[in-house]
Amino acid sequence: MIDDLDLGFDEPERGEKGRHRRGFRKRKSGSGGSSRGKTFLALLMALILLGGIGGVAFYGFDRIQNYFVTPDYDGSGAGEITVEIKSGALIADMADALVAADVVKSQKAFIEAAEANSRSKNIQPGTYKLRKQMSGANAVTAMLDLKNKIVNGLTIPEGRTSFNIYKLLSEKTKIPVKDFQAAAKDPEGLGIPDWWFKRDDGKKVVKSVEGFLFPDTYEIPPKSTAESILKLMVNRFLSVSGEMKFADRVQEERKVSPYEALIVASLAQAEAGNKDDLGKVARVAYNRVYGEFNCNCLEMDVTVNYYLESIGKPTKSSKQMTAAELDDQKNPYNRKLRGMIPTPINNPGKQALEGAMDPPPGKWLYFVAIDKQGHSAFAETYEDQKRNENKAKEAGII
């Protein structure tokens, strides 16, 4: 580059005896413009070179500065935005969601602020009303303030049927019941793996969402759809049952398919008047259908009530049911139907699932409530059952 820089000096001239002589070289007429052009180009190229070096240096400094200094916004931000923190999210997951929404500048800013705040472990899943471009510390503080959490919670009690759950969800969200019914027609589309709909008893498989809508308290995100809400509940069921190893254990220990065991859990949830009896009622169901019971049938009135609800009729107490309703041959949930019924009859909670997975040992075939706390007496023979029924009558239970 410098070789091309012509400053107008002569090359030293050698004399006759080799001595050097300095002086200005005499230019030819018209050569000055060309020389000035070369000079300008050389200077321009030098400036570009120096500017490039400066840009690289600035970029490198910026990268190094970001490595040692956490990229973070200043202050409490501006505007308003809602951010959903999903169930099971770790601090890093929360940081990702906040960066994506431009609430905080970097994941590192939020994580460092959370680590510096001992209360950050109290940040719960849900939807938060925050500001854009907040400092990490301000974002943590805002998420710990319950005023910024959009509360749209709904508790689904244990043992509710899907029909009842759709009504509860509709009342809360204003989404029509028919939308939930439509979404429920595709259980696998809601996330239920196809292997759940397999049976070992040779009976026809009826694919239903019943049993998979896990009872819990849910935060319903804004702008949810019927499908997204049911997916949320199914995912909760899969998470809980997976942690319990429900499917593996019932196959290994009960020797039945997970779907049949889920049906038993729903029966226990419906029939047990007290959580202490969930496992015992599950044992009775197993004994009646898979044991040596005279008809290998359930003979539980709750199955009749499920059918009545499914066809839009009001449910009844055992005393109110007619002989025709109890033994309707068109009812696929007929209490005298041989074998296990087609589907679960409600959505059981964790304790009912535990009862069906690991029921206490016993040869019971009968039970009856005997006190106002809902406890039942269990019997192996019909004679013992009659004696227990007399005790229940004396206590004014039946």
Side-chain angles (χ1 to χ4, degrees), residues 4 31 42 58 63 77 120 126-127 159 177 181 191 193 204 210 270 273 276 280 326 339 361:
D4 294 332
S31 66
F58 176 80
R63 291 292 298 273
S120 65
T127 303
V177 168
Q181 293 171 334
K204 181 182 177 181
E210 199 74 75
D276 297 335
K280 289 184 176 181
L326 287 169

Side-chain angles (χ1 to χ4, degrees), residues 192-244:
I192 305 172
D194 61 352
W195 58 261
W196 266 100
F197 298 112
K198 290 181 173 29
R199 300 179 66 131
D200 295 336
D201 60 359
K203 289 211 165 190
K204 181 182 177 181
V205 173
V206 178
K207 294 183 179 182
S208 171
V209 75
E210 199 74 75
F212 296 97
L213 304 178
F214 193 77
D216 204 345
T217 298
Y218 293 92
E219 286 286 337
I220 308 297
K223 300 181 181 179
S224 292
T225 64
E227 182 180 7
S228 68
I229 295 171
L230 295 187
K231 281 183 175 180
L232 186 68
M233 299 179 73
V234 166
N235 186 62
R236 182 68 177 137
F237 168 84
L238 295 174
S239 176
V240 172
S241 62
E243 290 171 3
M244 296 169 59

Side-chain angles (χ1 to χ4, degrees), residues 240-254:
V240 172
S241 62
E243 290 171 3
M244 296 169 59
K245 301 188 183 303
F246 180 85
D248 292 335
R249 288 192 58 185
V250 296
Q251 289 178 100
E252 294 171 8
E253 299 171 21
R254 304 279 72 79

